[in-house]
Each structure stands twice: as structure tokens, then as C-alpha cells.
Amino acid sequence: KKRKAFGHDPETGEADIGGARTVECADALEWLKGSPDGLPPNCVVITSMPDFSEFQAENWPLDRWKDWFRGAAEELMRQAQPGTLVFFYQTDIFHEGEHISKFLLVHEGVSRSDCVLRGHKVVHFGATDNKRTTTASNFTHLSIYEKCPVLPMEKA
């Protein structure tokens, strides 16, 4: 059985312009936590979570931001339906001489939920022999996680 894909009818090949879309203007984590059913089924999420520099106005210490970052990744995967794909793209940062891998923070967070890593790519930009002059690295991680289906317990 063919399923109707977004923007395209597989039966006729014609564009589907009659679909509906809901745009939520809210804090993503608050919206997720307040949504009784989590993310809709058959959705794909593409996200890049806020950098530590975006929390400077809040005066957060680095460890608090790291905990928040892990928790945000975990919450996103907990609210996903089985089969949902979540794409994270994150650029590592440097803070006071420490290299902080945002891929590792994402992985630590999502590992606390039922999901599996489906892919990880590193996208490099800039010249490899240039000395870093900013707080960001010159590469970005693209990681793909899938929410695992809940399997029934096996009988002993």
C-alpha cells in the first residue's frame, strides 16, 4: 500500500497543495513537555540546539548549559514516536581552552532514551591549516537518530 507523502501524491504524481500545516510559536521544550502525545507520527525533526554563547545573558555556568543541552536532546527523543528520525547539526565550541564536543553532548542525552544512532557525518568548512580565531571549530557534526519501536517483553 502506498502512503501519501508530503507535497506529492504517489498514485497520480501530482503536487498536493491541499495539505495543512500548523506553526507553533513557543519555546520548543515547553511545547514538547506540554504536548500530551509528543511529536506527531511519521515526522522528521531537523534541529540545531542553542550554543553556550546564546546563554550569556542568563549568566549560566558552562556545566549548567551542558546539563541543559543533554536534557534537551533527551526530551526531544523521548517525545518522538517510534520510527521518527531526528537530525542534529552541531558545531563544536571552545571555551576557556576546553574543546566541547556538542555531538558528544547530544549523544549522551539521547542515549538516555530509546533510540539508535543511524548516521554521523562531519562537515568541514574553511582551510585545515588556518589557525582557529573564534570560539567555534571549523567543522559541524550531522548526526541522525531514530526513535526505536517499543518491543513487547519476551515470555520467560
Side-chain angles (χ1 to χ4, degrees):
K1 180 179 176 184
K2 292 184 180 179
R3 294 188 305 176
K4 193 172 189 177
F6 178 74
H8 169 250
D9 185 332
E11 297 291 330
T12 65
E14 295 178 9
D16 173 21
I17 58 173
R21 179 183 297 181
T22 302
V23 176
E24 300 285 344
C25 295
D27 178 275
L29 288 177
E30 289 177 17
W31 180 82
L32 276 173
K33 290 176 182 176
S35 177
D37 300 323
L39 291 169
N42 302 318
C43 75
V44 173
V45 176
I46 302 171
T47 186
S48 180
M49 296 192 300
D51 187 74
F52 178 61
S53 64
E54 297 175 61
F55 284 75
Q56 294 302 306
E58 306 293 326
N59 258 347
W60 281 20
L62 182 63
D63 286 341
R64 181 176 178 193
W65 171 78
K66 286 179 179 181
D67 289 341
W68 176 89
F69 200 94
R70 289 181 196 103
E74 177 184 10
E75 184 65 25
L76 179 55
M77 292 310 298
R78 284 195 189 285
Q79 295 291 341
Q81 303 295 323
T84 296
L85 293 175
V86 179
F87 292 72
F88 292 93
Y89 60 97
Q90 304 295 156
T91 302
D92 289 358
I93 61 171
F94 297 89
H95 180 73
E96 296 178 358
E98 179 184 357
H99 178 177
I100 300 164
S101 171
K102 290 198 273 181
F103 166 73
L104 179 61
L105 295 175
V106 165
H107 191 73
E108 289 172 347
V110 301
S111 294
R112 299 185 288 207
S113 62
D114 297 322
C115 67
V116 63
L117 176 65
R118 291 293 184 205
H120 174 239
K121 300 290 181 191
V122 176
V123 179
H124 185 271
F125 46 89
T128 58
D129 58 352
N130 285 354
K131 185 173 182 173
R132 182 180 49 80
T133 59
T134 66
T135 58
S137 65
N138 57 355
F139 57 89
T140 295
H141 297 273
L142 173 63
S143 54
I144 307 161
Y145 292 88
E146 181 179 4
K147 177 72 174 209
C148 295
V150 178
L151 302 175
M153 297 287 289
E154 292 185 45
K155 294 182 181 181

